Structure formats: structure tokens, C-alpha cells
Amino acid sequence: AQSVAQPEDQVNVAEGNPLTVKCTYSVSGNPYLFWYVQYPNRGLQFLLKYITGDNLVKGSYGFEAEFNKSQTSFHLKKPSALVSDSALYFCAGSWGKLQFGAGTQVVVTP
Amino acid sequence: DVKVTQSSRYLVKRTGEKVFLECVQDMDHENMFWYRQDPGLGLRLIYFSYDVKMKEKGDIPEGYSVSREKKERFSLILESASTNQTSMYLCASSLGGLADSYEQYFGPGTRLTVT
């Protein structure tokens, strides 16, 4: 079955350090891949998507993600994390319908 | 900016009650979706609609129904609420008919508690 997986429930990082949130997807065709972020008590906001083309995708708030077909991964990255990046992050893949991962809580400490 | 609004932020209902959750989007999007969000499970699709009066079941449609009489409005109905339907409900919309490459825009969510 088509799916995405987020192997980490929580990621802790100090402000100013690089942030990586991991996502892998099942190999079934060529999915469209997305990252969304959810700040406390708010709906999800779109960050970025991979459709085709350049494997490095740049998105909102300084985030980027790298599509790696050989490793079936689409990890989200930010070179220097901010306290305000603390939120719940969801990876999603679309094989006709959007399938969400379970989410990764990011905690950035001052 | 796309705006997706949901009728209530918090709702408390009793078991057996009929519950209506309303969602309105203002960007003329063809697609609209209803999800529920539960800790550790991510978002799960309940129903979606790609046109007025059209609806398709998602992954967990049991116990729910939907209505889309106008393009901008998509309603989720719990015919007889049960405690296992206590959850956060998120509405979303997107462009594109049946195309799935468009990002979805989400409302703020309705936290429903069934007692």
C-alpha cells in the first residue's frame, strides 16, 4: 500500500543548529510529496512540494527538502533552526489521494 | 490568500446527537476534503468532493456523511455521534478537479468532544 513514514515522533534541536525532519515513502509509482506544518491550535500550512524536476525543493520560512529516489526519502531541512519553528510537521504523499505521515514534533530550545 | 473557515473551534456533543460541521472556502476551489486528526495517527481522510453534489469516500467514512450543495461549502455530518468520534476535524480545499499535485489549504480545525 502506498504510504509515507516519519520515523521520529519528536526532534529536539538547539536554536541556530541545523534541523532535519525525516520522511520515507513507499515505492509505488511516482508520488507527489509534500510537507506541511501545524503550529499550536492552528490548521496545517503548506511548506513545499516535490512534483518533478530538481531534487532540491525550496519552500516557505527557509525550509527545503531533498527528494532521494534511491533511498525513497524526502527529508525536510533548515540550516539554522529558530524557536518559532517549534511545531508539528507532517510529510504527505499523493498517489491519487493524499496520505499523511503520523507527524514529527519539533522542539527548538533557546 | 486562500481562506478556509470552519463553523466552530470547539464543540461538545452528547452520544447519539446529530452533529453538523461546516466548512467554507473563498477561492473557488474544486476539491474539498474532511480529515480527522488523532495523536500518533496523523490525518486520515474521511470524505472528499471534487465538484458540487459529488462525493467520494476516504479511508474512514464509517459513521459520517457529507453534503456539498454549493461549491464553496462542504459539510460533515455525524448521524449519531459516538465517543470514538471525539477528535480534531480539519477541512481543506484545493484546485484542480481530480489532479492531486495541488497543495491543500486547511481550516483551523474543530475540536469535537462527544460525551
Side-chain angles (χ1 to χ4, degrees):
Chain A
Q2 299 111 343
S3 64
V4 293
Q6 295 179 245
E8 300 158 317
D9 292 335
Q10 183 164 315
V11 169
N12 298 300
V13 63
E15 188 173 34
N17 283 358
L19 170 63
T20 298
V21 188
K22 296 179 180 178
C23 173
T24 59
Y25 65 93
S26 64
V27 182
S28 177
N30 294 309
Y32 303 127
L33 295 166
F34 301 79
W35 276 102
Y36 287 84
V37 60
Q38 185 178 36
Y39 297 104
N41 299 313
R42 296 176 66 177
L44 275 69
Q45 295 179 31
F46 168 76
L47 276 179
L48 51 80
K49 67 181 177 183
Y50 174 81
I51 303 299
T52 187
D54 194 347
N55 289 342
L56 186 64
V57 180
K58 293 189 182 296
S60 307
Y61 312 122
F63 283 95
E64 59 188 27
E66 185 171 11
F67 174 71
N68 188 318
K69 190 170 184 177
S70 63
Q71 296 185 6
T72 63
S73 68
F74 189 57
H75 300 332
L76 181 71
K77 298 180 181 182
K78 186 171 184 179
S80 178
L82 301 171
V83 173
S84 57
D85 293 328
S86 298
L88 187 56
Y89 290 79
F90 289 97
C91 179
S94 184
W95 294 263
K97 288 185 299 185
L98 208 56
Q99 300 286 342
F100 284 85
T104 298
Q105 185 70 47
V106 170
V107 178
V108 182
T109 51
Chain B
D1 279 352
V2 176
K3 192 163 186 181
V4 180
T5 56
Q6 296 182 228
S7 50
S8 305
R9 291 299 304 272
Y10 300 93
L11 210 52
V12 180
K13 296 292 182 181
R14 295 196 179 277
T15 301
E17 279 193 85
K18 190 169 187 176
V19 182
F20 293 87
L21 302 182
E22 304 285 339
C23 175
V24 177
Q25 51 95 4
D26 67 357
M27 282 301 290
D28 203 35
H29 283 173
E30 288 86 355
N31 295 341
M32 295 189 75
F33 308 83
W34 274 106
Y35 295 90
R36 62 176 284 175
Q37 180 182 3
D38 299 288
L41 296 177
L43 276 72
R44 292 178 291 167
L45 182 64
I46 305 171
Y47 267 97
F48 67 101
S49 168
Y50 53 88
D51 202 352
V52 176
K53 297 191 185 295
M54 305 301 291
K55 61 184 178 184
E56 293 285 342
K57 293 181 179 179
D59 299 317
I60 51 164
E62 297 78 18
Y64 304 94
S65 62
V66 291
S67 172
R68 194 168 181 198
E69 296 296 319
K70 295 184 177 182
K71 190 174 186 179
E72 68 271 17
R73 188 179 297 270
F74 192 35
S75 302
L76 180 70
I77 304 154
L78 287 67
E79 295 290 341
S80 178
S82 64
T83 55
N84 62 13
Q85 292 178 309
T86 292
S87 185
M88 171 70 88
Y89 290 86
L90 294 171
C91 175
S93 71
S94 73
L95 285 169
L98 294 178
D100 57 2
S101 65
Y102 294 107
E103 60 266 32
Q104 295 184 14
Y105 295 84
F106 285 81
T110 295
R111 185 165 295 281
L112 173 67
T113 301
V114 182
T115 62

